[in-house]
Amino acid sequence: MAKPIWIWAFSVTLALFPSVFGNSEGDALYALRKSLKDPDNVFQSWDPNLVNPCTWFHITCNQDNRVTRVDLGNSNLSGHLVSDLGKLEHLQYLELYKNNIQGTIPTELGNLKNLISLDLYNNKISGTIPPSLGKLKSLVFLRLNDNKLTGPIPRELTGISNLKVVDVSNNDLCGTIPTSGPFEHIPLNNFENNPRLEGPELLGLASYDTTCS
């Protein structure tokens, strides 16, 4: 006897929906994999045919199989970051430090509302710091030092009350160093070796300037 249509539909729903989130996150991570060169095969376990990426090395998930950590620091990777990373809405830690990553920081990283730590230091990343990072209200650690970043420090970052560590030293930033909000407690050596950067702006040492490039 054939199953009633509602039972069949319910079975299909159960089969499909647990993997929907996992697959979309897996697709985003696989897009990152395709954009990076990996001479040491750290991506060897990243099989896009699995239900979700939670069994992949260097990936951590929560109990709902949502990606919360990407740990790819010091992995000899080169290439560029992808906008797809902005789809990892439960991500808390994005660790890509000490690689040879080039290109720019995707604006879409500003969508990662649960992000606590963004570590992109010691790469070859260029372009500006996206103002969209000011939307990361859970952010505590922002380490972008030792890259090739240009432009001003976005004033949007001063609105992140949880921000405790900011390091943008050893870049080519310009304008002035913010001193409001969390920047009030950031040591000045975390801004050093940016020859065009002046400040701090509110201590009478430099005028307010966000128009540089």
Side-chain angles (χ1 to χ4, degrees):
M1 180 177 178
K3 291 182 179 179
I5 187 67
W6 69 269
I7 294 179
W8 177 85
F10 184 67
S11 300
V12 170
T13 300
L14 285 179
L16 289 179
F17 271 85
S19 65
V20 166
F21 291 131
N23 280 339
S24 64
E25 294 187 331
D27 290 345
L29 290 169
Y30 200 70
L32 176 65
R33 174 185 173 172
K34 290 190 294 184
S35 75
L36 296 174
K37 294 180 180 178
D38 174 27
D40 296 340
N41 290 319
V42 298
F43 291 132
Q44 189 171 10
S45 66
W46 287 33
D47 182 354
N49 297 312
L50 297 179
V51 170
N52 62 56
C54 296
T55 59
W56 297 358
F57 290 161
H58 313 292
I59 299 299
T60 303
C61 294
N62 62 17
Q63 60 185 7
D64 298 318
N65 290 329
R66 307 300 298 272
V67 175
T68 57
R69 291 188 68 113
V70 176
D71 289 293
L72 290 167
N74 201 21
S75 296
N76 198 25
L77 301 172
S78 60
H80 63 274
L81 303 178
V82 292
S83 61
D84 304 72
L85 289 171
K87 299 174 183 177
L88 302 174
E89 60 182 39
H90 288 260
L91 192 67
Q92 296 178 326
Y93 296 87
L94 182 56
E95 307 296 324
L96 289 163
Y97 56 87
K98 293 185 179 179
N99 284 293
N100 293 297
I101 296 170
Q102 300 177 318
T104 60
I105 300 173
T107 300
E108 290 79 4
L109 294 190
N111 297 331
L112 302 176
K113 59 184 179 181
N114 292 296
L115 199 66
I116 294 171
S117 177
L118 178 58
D119 281 329
L120 302 178
Y121 61 88
N122 282 102
N123 278 287
K124 298 177 181 177
I125 298 171
S126 58
T128 60
I129 301 172
S132 63
L133 298 187
K135 298 189 295 181
L136 302 177
K137 300 307 181 184
S138 298
L139 197 66
V140 179
F141 305 100
L142 177 62
R143 288 176 281 229
L144 306 176
N145 50 290
D146 296 275
N147 279 290
K148 298 181 179 181
L149 295 169
T150 57
I153 298 171
R155 269 33 188 194
E156 288 81 357
L157 298 179
T158 64
I160 306 177
S161 59
N162 289 318
L163 200 56
K164 296 291 187 292
V165 175
V166 177
D167 194 339
V168 293
S169 58
N170 299 298
N171 281 287
D172 189 26
L173 299 175
C174 59
T176 50
I177 300 170
T179 56
S180 60
F183 284 83
E184 182 181 355
H185 304 291
I186 304 299
L188 286 178
N189 59 2
N190 287 16
F191 303 96
E192 66 184 7
N193 294 325
N194 286 279
R196 300 187 297 142
L197 193 62
E198 302 178 62
E201 65 196 11
L202 298 181
L203 299 181
L205 301 178
S207 60
Y208 187 85
D209 178 15
T210 59
T211 61
C212 68
S213 60

